[in-house]
Amino acid sequence: MLILGIESSCDETAVAVVEDGRRVLSDEISSQVDIHAVYGGVVPEIASRNHVRAISALADSAVARAGITKGDIDAVAVTYAPGLIGAVLVGVNFAKGAAMALNVPLVPVHHIRGHLAANYIAFPELEPPFLGLIVSGGNTILADVRDYTDIRILGSTRDDAAGECFDKAARVLGLPYPGGRPLDELARGGDDKTYDLPRAKIEGAPYDMSFSGLKTAVVNIVHNAEQRGVAIDRPGLAASFAAAVSDTLVPRAMAAAAELGYDRISVAGGVAANSRIRRDLEAAAAKAGKRLYMPPLRLCGDNGAMIASQGYFEYLAGARAGMDLNAYATMRVDRAVY
Ligand code: KG4
């Protein structure tokens, strides 16, 4: 079954063709990162306009690169939540038009479920159940992935997402947006014990997380140093910060996997590209005898292939949307409202 997957929830317009949920025939991405970098963050209105500009040609190119014709497409899958509402709407409306013109089913896909599906592509043998750790620019969630479309939230951030926190810490360190990757690179030259940063715990909610105190701590260190005219150890601060995020995520993921009795942990989302977090997860998983699944870097960020992949499993579970499908800025990963 060939699924055309469409993603436009933030600053990447992406269209892909995936066969039977696992085999990627094409995966086209048009990133707006450079356009938004000058503003230090994604400007929603600009993102929407650029999705409109890019999406049609990108879909043509995804079909051509897949070596198929439009008539071969069996269903259209699209991110309908969560994301920047104007941006998501562009993909949803394009997908409606495509599904109607091709006379094929329209399948709504939750963006975070899509991130989890990145590992179905990277590891064809991976099947639920497993523990899911989703760390992206807008979400930080520990999930019990019981089945492809049966996902329960075990814990999530109470405030900022890990990626948001990386971007903010990078910004005060004078690094370009999005700051996760440059901060990761800066951290490699630093000592992670240079600064004592907080690792928040939430009483009574062992799998919930909080990153806003960590973010404020980094901002305060930089501002205090500026006011006193003293230099900060930038690589040291970056390394201490990455260690604090990793210390928040990794032990929780391991504890949740142990509690549920899962021997597999699947990690997804843009922050899953972080070298410190990857290294710590690998070490902890090896120690606990768990198998770790992490997407290759190109599948960590937003892409259309993961939406087409999850779309296939949603399709098998019976998910269908009509021409009245709406876009939603927020939606829990364990819900499917459309
Ligand atoms: O999953 P994603 O592409 O978009 C969302 O759906 O949110 O994640 C983007 C986030 C950004 O906050 C970016 O700074 C972060 O992923 N990121 C990283 C790294 N690469 C990207 N964070 C830490 N280390 C990295 N190497």
Side-chain angles (χ1 to χ4, degrees), residues 9-10 12 111 115 135-139 163-164 166-167 178-181 184 269-271 273-275 300-302:
S9 65
C10 191
E12 259 99 30
H111 181 76
H115 272 302
V135 266
S136 71
N139 294 272
E164 217 174 317
F166 262 100
D167 293 338
R181 201 166 77 182
D184 189 1
V271 183
N274 184 264
S275 61
C300 284
D302 292 348

Side-chain angles (χ1 to χ4, degrees), residues 17 38 84 87 106 142 148 170 180-181 222 260 267 301 321:
V17 177
V38 288
L84 301 170
L106 176 63
L142 266 172
Y148 293 100
R181 201 166 77 182
V222 174
L260 295 172
V267 189

